[in-house]
Amino acid sequence: MATIKKFMYVNRKAPYGTVYALESLEVVLIGAAFDQDVSLAFVDDGVYQIMKGQDTSGIEVKNFSPIYSALGDYEVTKLYVEKESMEERGLTLDDLMPLVYEDEDDDWAEKDSITVVSRAEMAELLEQQDVLFNF
Amino acid sequence: MALVVDGKEFETDEEGYLANINDWVEGVATAMSAEDELELTDEHWDIIRFLREYYEEYQIAPAVRILTKAVAKRMGKEKGNSKYLYSLFPYGPGKQACRYAGLPKPTGCV
Amino acid sequence: MSTLHTVNKSPFEKNSMSSCLSHSVADSAILMIEDGVYGAIKNTSIAGDIDSAVKEKSIYVLGPDLKARGLNEDQLIDGISVVDYAGFVELVCANDKVQNWL
């Protein structure tokens, strides 16, 4: 078996204003087929991607925020959100969608996918990866 | 391209997927399956309805392995396995069932 | 001569918002649209700048763009008004010209 690599998708853009957020999600879903050790980072404006209560009916653009809830099905269960990025934007964990996954190895117990990390911890996480995908 | 069901035209893309998921009616699935010379049974409809609910909730057409796992979780292992799903949808449960359900081609399918 | 200024970039990514604030005179109208609406939220690192601007300029934010991003009126800095697309058009008509801070 090939060596499993640590893949991290680094999301730094707000949704809708540009296409980066949706493109990242699509690559994550496609990449999930390759059985690597995948995680997602939400840094800077990227934290806006997982805001709860998004309703795009007024701007005639697809609301793709429900897709983040399907990531657990794709075994993408490590979502790191940077604390300082939230604070600079006046946000707390309560403003984000409660993203969860069911742990196959723990009798399908529901667990949180989101981990809030400090900027220093995020820097460490980036350092630990084999491959970084930037959006 | 267009599919005609009961005299009404439904726009489809070059691979036969419905252009607008909200246009879907059951007749779309029946007409598409008839073109494939397949008769839809209750078992087919269970999967088609499951896919529509999945899309409603998550806004994506699941890849076949995700569909299989999700069906297993919801309807049990005897339905949530690829042998069973391929027996229902021989062209591939991801692509064929999604097409009948009016969903886009699953993300990650080529 | 009156000017409507629009800002469509996130204030945390581009300097469009700060440039707009420093290049608009008193009594100007400023409309935040698209990713610019993130500037209208309370308790952010730039909220102080917007707070000062609200005192001498009319600041608006486009409602459909707020809603799309999961934001609501309760989260807005005091003094900012929400407009819909018709309100956007009215602002354009009520001013002599438009400066877009892209």
Side-chain angles (χ1 to χ4, degrees), chain C:
Chain C
M1 293 294 274
S2 62
T3 307
L4 169 67
H5 298 262
T6 71
V7 180
N8 75 339
K9 296 296 188 299
S10 161
F12 308 106
E13 198 189 4
K14 295 253 157 64
N15 64 359
S16 308
M17 187 75 76
S18 69
S19 225
C20 169
L21 295 179
S22 48
H23 291 92
S24 50
V25 298
D27 299 324
S28 294
I30 298 174
L31 172 62
M32 303 175 184
I33 60 171
E34 299 169 20
D35 286 348
V37 303
Y38 291 121
I41 302 306
K42 273 188 250 196
N43 301 324
T44 71
S45 57
I46 63 135
D49 299 343
I50 306 291
D51 257 330
S52 330
V54 163
K55 294 191 176 75
E56 54 169 14
K57 298 164 193 173
S58 307
I59 305 199
Y60 305 89
V61 60
L62 191 62
D65 281 331
L66 270 184
K67 255 178 86 180
R69 289 161 179 77
L71 301 167
N72 62 61
E73 298 192 20
D74 305 336
Q75 291 164 280
L76 298 184
I77 290 168
D78 289 340
I80 296 182
S81 325
V82 179
V83 294
D84 57 10
Y85 287 110
F88 188 166
V89 174
E90 278 171 31
L91 281 171
V92 172
C93 295
N95 288 278
D96 301 309
K97 59 192 180 299
V98 180
Q99 163 67 25
N100 299 305
W101 298 91
L102 302 175

Side-chain angles (χ1 to χ4, degrees), chain B residues 10 26 32 48 62 73-74 81 85 92 94 101 110:
Chain B
F10 291 83
E26 289 191 352
M32 285 179 174
I48 291 169
K73 207 155 68 184
R74 181 94 74 89
N81 66 77
L85 291 172
V110 278

Side-chain angles (χ1 to χ4, degrees), chain B residues 7-68:
Chain B
K8 190 171 178 269
E9 260 193 34
F10 291 83
E11 195 192 332
T12 58
D13 68 13
E14 66 275 12
E15 292 179 281
Y17 291 83
L18 214 56
N20 183 355
I21 181 171
N22 298 319
D23 288 349
W24 189 85
V25 291
E26 289 191 352
V28 166
T30 316
M32 285 179 174
S33 62
E35 282 181 2
D36 293 339
E37 297 181 358
L38 182 85
E39 198 175 325
L40 295 180
T41 63
D42 288 347
E43 285 72 29
H44 291 100
W45 284 111
D46 282 347
I47 303 300
I48 291 169
R49 289 199 191 95
F50 178 84
L51 279 169
R52 289 204 58 90
E53 284 163 22
Y54 195 93
Y55 192 93
E56 179 68 31
E57 183 168 1
Y58 298 117
Q59 299 293 304
I60 45 166
V64 60
R65 70 183 198 294
I66 307 302
L67 170 67
T68 309

Side-chain angles (χ1 to χ4, degrees), chain A residues 12-78:
Chain A
R12 296 186 51 250
K13 309 275 188 198
Y16 313 119
T18 62
V19 79
Y20 287 97
L22 180 56
E23 291 282 317
S24 172
L25 253 186
E26 294 204 331
V27 177
V28 169
L29 295 177
I30 294 165
F34 296 102
D35 283 330
Q36 302 294 328
D37 179 6
V38 173
S39 62
L40 271 57
F42 296 91
V43 182
D44 299 336
D45 278 358
V47 298
Y48 288 134
Q49 293 179 20
I50 49 177
M51 290 278 285
K52 69 169 137 192
Q54 298 178 37
D55 174 2
T56 58
S57 53
I59 61 169
E60 292 180 31
V61 168
K62 176 174 166 148
N63 176 5
F64 55 85
S65 65
I67 302 180
Y68 294 96
S69 301
L71 288 173
D73 286 354
Y74 283 76
E75 290 172 16
V76 175
T77 60
K78 288 185 283 189

Side-chain angles (χ1 to χ4, degrees), chain A residues 5-9 36-40 129-131 133:
Chain A
K5 289 190 173 175
K6 288 173 82 73
F7 280 24
M8 182 177 254
Y9 296 83
Q36 302 294 328
D37 179 6
V38 173
S39 62
L40 271 57
Q129 306 302 314
D130 295 306
V131 186
F133 296 91

